[in-house]
Amino acid sequence: MKLDHVVYFSSKDPDEIINEQKSEGKHAVIGGRHEKWGTHNALMYVKNAYVEWLSVEKLEIARNIDHPLTRLLLHDVNESDGWGTICLSVSDIEQFNEDIKNKGFATSGVLDAERRTESGVLRKWKMLFVDQPVNDELPYPFFIEWEEPEVIRFAQLREDGTLIEENEGLEIRECIFEVEDPLRDTGEWAVLLSQKVGDSNDISLENVRLRFIQHEGGKDRLKDVVIG
C-alpha cells in the first residue's frame, strides 16, 4: 500500500490551474474528464505520486451522481478551495475490500472508473471508498487499483510528457491532517490501513508519511502536502 495521489478541490478550470502552476515554474497537465461524474482535472506528477486538482465541469451531472468523491468535492468547494483527501493504491482491491469489511468498515464496494484524456484516450481503474457521511469530519482515504501496471503507466507518462525529468526530482514526502482529535484519528486510520502508529501521531507508508495534528477549530481535513 502506498500513496497514489493527493486531491485538491478547486473552483477553477484545469487550464487556469495549469497556467497558475506554470507561472510558479511548475509542470502540470490536463488530466481529462470524468464524464459520468461531471468533473475534470489537472495533474502534476512527481517521482512517487501526483497532485490532482479536481473541479466541477458539469454541475447538473455532479449534483445527481451518487459518487463519494464528487459529493465531497461539492461539499467542500462550496465553502472554499483547498486540500480534500488522499488516494492510496493497493495491489488487490477486491481482497482489500473484503479485509476492511471484516474489520467492521462499511464500503462502497469496488467501483469501475474511467477518465477521458485530452487526446481522447480512455484510462480505466477500480476504486473503493469507506462509507461515511459527507460533513466536516475527516474523510478516510480512498483506494485505487489501476488497470495497467505501474511500470507501464509511468513509462507512458514519460513518453507523453506528463512526467518530466524536473518533476522526477520531486516527491510527496508528507501529508498533514488537521483534526480535532489526532490520537483518535491516527488510531482509526492505523486499523483501516493495517499500519503501526508512530510516536508523533503519524503513520509511515511505503512512500509517504501521514501526520495528524490538532487544529483550533474548523473542519477536519488534509491541510498541507509537503513536496520536496
Side-chain angles (χ1 to χ4, degrees), residues 20-27 167:
E20 286 182 351
Q21 294 302 308
K22 186 177 180 179
S23 70
E24 297 175 8
K26 299 175 183 177
H27 176 73
N167 284 28

Side-chain angles (χ1 to χ4, degrees), residues 177 179-191 197-203 211-214:
F177 303 85
V179 297
E180 181 180 2
D181 188 339
L183 183 62
R184 178 196 64 198
D185 288 320
T186 311
E188 289 180 355
W189 280 47
V191 171
V197 176
D199 295 332
S200 304
N201 292 323
D202 63 294
I203 297 171
R211 187 156 61 94
F212 299 78
I213 63 175
Q214 190 166 30

